[in-house]
Amino acid sequence: SQTIHQWPATLVQPVGSPLSLECTVEGTSNPNLYWYRQAAGRGLQLLFYSVGIGQISSEVPQNLSASRPQDRQFILSSKKLLLSDSGFYLCAWSVATPGTGELFFGEGSRLTVL
Amino acid sequence: EDQVTQSPEALRLQEGESSSLNCSYTVSGLRGLFWYRQDPGKGPEFLFTLYSAGEEKEKERLKATLTKKESFLHITAPKPEDSATYLCAVGGFQKLVFGTGTRLLVSP
């Protein structure tokens, strides 16, 4: 069966510091990978998605970036965090397109920027 | 642009009191409508996918239905363990657009 791991689970960082969140998927090959952010009282916002190694699509202009160095590894980064980057970050995977569309999420990473 | 609106924002039920959650949507072409359950501090858990109007899916006390403009998540005789936020999303094939969810609290 497929599993998705995301870490760290909780992170408190000062403004201006760098960020690296990691996500790995097991039990499947060539998945689509996603980073979403969930702010209090708001729906999940798609940040990045990837259909293959080195292929990244950005949905929202911001100071975050994503990379996919391996087939089942997805990394969310920032060089300098802003207060507005605080939130709950979720990694997800889906079967490669066309697939059936369902997303399967990790447990999330809670980021607090002070 | 795909849009999803969920209502009510919050719902409090007594154990055994059945009710329904609503998800209305506007899309350029429905590729799929998805329901998720999210517990506090956790990632969303996939429940159902509906593809066409008239389709229904069931899982334990939950039943999801779909029309051309909205979907309902019916909860029959809920238990306290059904307390969670229920999210609706539309899209598929690389992108899902999510609603803000309905927070359900079931009291014993």
Side-chain angles (χ1 to χ4, degrees), chain A residues 34 36 38 41-44 46 49 51 59 88 90 97-107, chain B residues 31 34 36 38 41-46 48-49 51 87 91-100:
Chain A
Y34 307 80
Y36 278 84
Q38 188 174 35
R42 300 181 63 182
L44 276 73
L46 178 62
Y49 71 92
V51 299
E59 291 295 302
F88 192 50
L90 289 156
T97 307
T100 52
E102 296 95 347
L103 295 184
F104 300 96
F105 288 87
E107 289 295 290
Chain B
R31 297 172 294 285
F34 306 83
Y36 287 83
Q38 186 174 24
K42 302 292 186 182
E45 174 189 351
F46 170 73
F48 304 109
T49 307
Y51 291 108
L87 301 172
F93 308 149
Q94 296 176 2
K95 300 180 187 180
L96 292 189
V97 174
F98 283 82
T100 54

Side-chain angles (χ1 to χ4, degrees), chain B:
Chain B
E1 183 179 333
D2 297 354
Q3 290 190 338
V4 177
T5 302
Q6 292 188 247
S7 62
E9 288 187 13
L11 181 63
R12 176 171 287 189
L13 300 174
Q14 289 295 120
E15 184 172 3
E17 179 186 2
S18 302
S19 187
S20 296
L21 312 182
N22 177 265
C23 170
S24 61
Y25 61 89
T26 55
V27 294
S28 55
L30 183 65
R31 297 172 294 285
L33 186 139
F34 306 83
W35 282 100
Y36 287 83
R37 168 192 171 127
Q38 186 174 24
D39 293 306
K42 302 292 186 182
E45 174 189 351
F46 170 73
L47 293 174
F48 304 109
T49 307
L50 302 167
Y51 291 108
S52 57
E55 190 175 359
E56 299 182 351
K57 294 275 181 73
E58 288 189 63
K59 180 179 181 180
E60 296 182 354
R61 295 175 292 282
L62 300 177
K63 178 177 162 181
T65 61
L66 182 66
T67 71
K68 289 184 178 180
K69 294 183 178 181
E70 57 191 350
S71 176
F72 292 94
L73 185 65
H74 307 278
I75 303 176
T76 302
K79 298 182 178 181
E81 53 262 43
D82 295 321
S83 297
T85 296
Y86 291 86
L87 301 172
C88 169
V90 296
F93 308 149
Q94 296 176 2
K95 300 180 187 180
L96 292 189
V97 174
F98 283 82
T100 54
T102 294
R103 295 190 313 278
L104 174 66
L105 177 62
V106 181
S107 302

Side-chain angles (χ1 to χ4, degrees), chain A residues 40-111:
Chain A
R42 300 181 63 182
L44 276 73
Q45 179 188 33
L46 178 62
L47 302 176
F48 301 94
Y49 71 92
S50 171
V51 299
I53 296 174
Q55 301 178 60
I56 308 295
S57 295
S58 174
E59 291 295 302
V60 182
Q62 59 214 329
N63 70 318
L64 299 173
S65 62
S67 62
R68 184 171 178 173
Q70 300 181 41
D71 181 46
R72 291 170 289 174
Q73 183 184 24
F74 207 23
I75 298 171
L76 182 69
S77 303
S78 174
K79 292 182 179 179
K80 290 185 177 182
L81 285 168
L82 306 173
L83 286 174
S84 58
D85 292 324
S86 293
F88 192 50
Y89 289 82
L90 289 156
C91 181
W93 73 275
S94 70
V95 174
T97 307
T100 52
E102 296 95 347
L103 295 184
F104 300 96
F105 288 87
E107 289 295 290
S109 296
R110 174 75 59 189
L111 171 65

Side-chain angles (χ1 to χ4, degrees), chain A residues 7-41:
Chain A
W7 70 95
T10 306
L11 198 59
V12 180
Q13 293 286 99
V15 169
S17 64
L19 171 73
S20 180
L21 300 179
E22 295 194 31
C23 170
T24 60
V25 180
E26 297 177 356
T28 187
S29 297
N30 194 32
N32 291 342
L33 297 173
Y34 307 80
W35 280 110
Y36 278 84
R37 178 168 59 199
Q38 188 174 35

